[in-house]
Amino acid sequence: MTSAISHRRLSECSLEDAAEGFTTGFSGYVVPMNVTVPSLQLRIERDHVDPDESFVYFDGEKPAGILLIGRRGDLSRVGAIGMGPTIRGRGFGRSVMLNAIEVAKARGDRKLILEVINTNERARDLYLSLGFVITRKLVGFGRSRKLAVPDVVPAEECELGTAAGMLARFADADLTWQTDPRSFQRAGPPLKGFALDGKAAVLLDDTGRHVRLYGLAVDPAHRRQGLGRALTDALAVRYQGRRFFIIENVPDGLIDRFMRRIGWRKSTLTQSEMAIDLA
């Protein structure tokens, strides 16, 4: 660490600096990151990032890293930690994590959680050495754009609040931070909502090259009746020629059988959810 390295609370920084710090902090990462101001703003809102507990790191005056801390009651989450090439490899990430743990304890938090891509062994080993334990494996899924398009009526968009409310009512227990319905309490653009007969709902973002599903739920009282398939088929018609995907934040085994039945494939990338008890 050099005297040129400093940090400021996210609440004291512009979103432009924070987005640059995020992108720089994850340069060379196992998954490419290009964080824009709008995408960062959405992440802050959805993940309940606390701007007073999160930091942007600077090398001189240039944003060079990020730490995002989300908070829900007495549970907190490291939503992102990334140090750029100019400050990487000096043990700086370790000291940032140690401080995050101590600050969470001082707040009275019960637990601190995070996710790590399983091929990122260096980061995973760091977290294990700090006392984190792996709690579960997280997986993602994708629907190839080459998969045959069903002969059904295209899905029609509904009010975002309607879809978000259905996700909350139909949610399974013990979901991950990013799939918890609280992530969509204030759902807004670019998310779009789709529903089927008041019994199945989807939240998605279609502004990228591929269509990303953020939430998919079917009323527990009406599962195994083809509603999930019907809704995803209708989406495939609406977005013909587009690939669909769910990133690797779904508990392994939760929806695997359903996804296989509708022709979606599990992604090769996986994550581990990790946690450290602070009480």
Side-chain angles (χ1 to χ4, degrees), residues 147-258:
L147 201 62
V149 177
D151 184 18
V152 298
V153 176
E156 293 188 6
E157 190 175 349
C158 70
E159 291 291 331
L160 263 177
T162 298
M166 292 169 67
L167 289 181
R169 294 197 306 276
F170 303 158
D172 291 290
D174 197 27
L175 293 173
T176 61
W177 189 283
Q178 292 168 288
T179 57
D180 189 297
R182 285 174 289 183
S183 296
F184 312 114
Q185 287 173 335
R186 294 178 290 177
L191 291 184
K192 292 181 178 179
F194 296 86
L196 180 64
D197 298 334
K199 299 171 184 175
V202 160
L203 283 178
L204 60 77
D205 179 357
D206 63 5
T207 57
R209 178 184 175 190
H210 306 302
V211 180
R212 176 179 173 181
L213 267 64
Y214 279 88
L216 167 63
V218 176
D219 185 342
H222 296 279
R223 291 179 182 175
R224 300 186 181 279
Q225 297 176 15
L227 293 169
R229 177 190 288 273
L231 182 52
T232 53
D233 282 353
L235 289 170
V237 176
R238 181 184 177 100
Y239 294 103
Q240 290 190 41
R242 304 276 296 274
R243 177 180 177 269
F244 289 79
F245 72 100
I246 299 172
I247 70 166
E248 295 76 20
N249 58 21
V250 179
D252 189 26
L254 180 65
I255 59 173
D256 295 41
R257 293 174 62 186
F258 167 71

Side-chain angles (χ1 to χ4, degrees), residues 19 21 33 43 46 48 57 110 136 140 157 166 236-237 272:
M33 292 276 192
R43 182 185 290 260
R46 281 200 292 261
H48 292 92
Y57 294 85
R110 169 178 55 87
R136 53 186 169 177
E157 190 175 349
M166 292 169 67
V237 176
S272 287

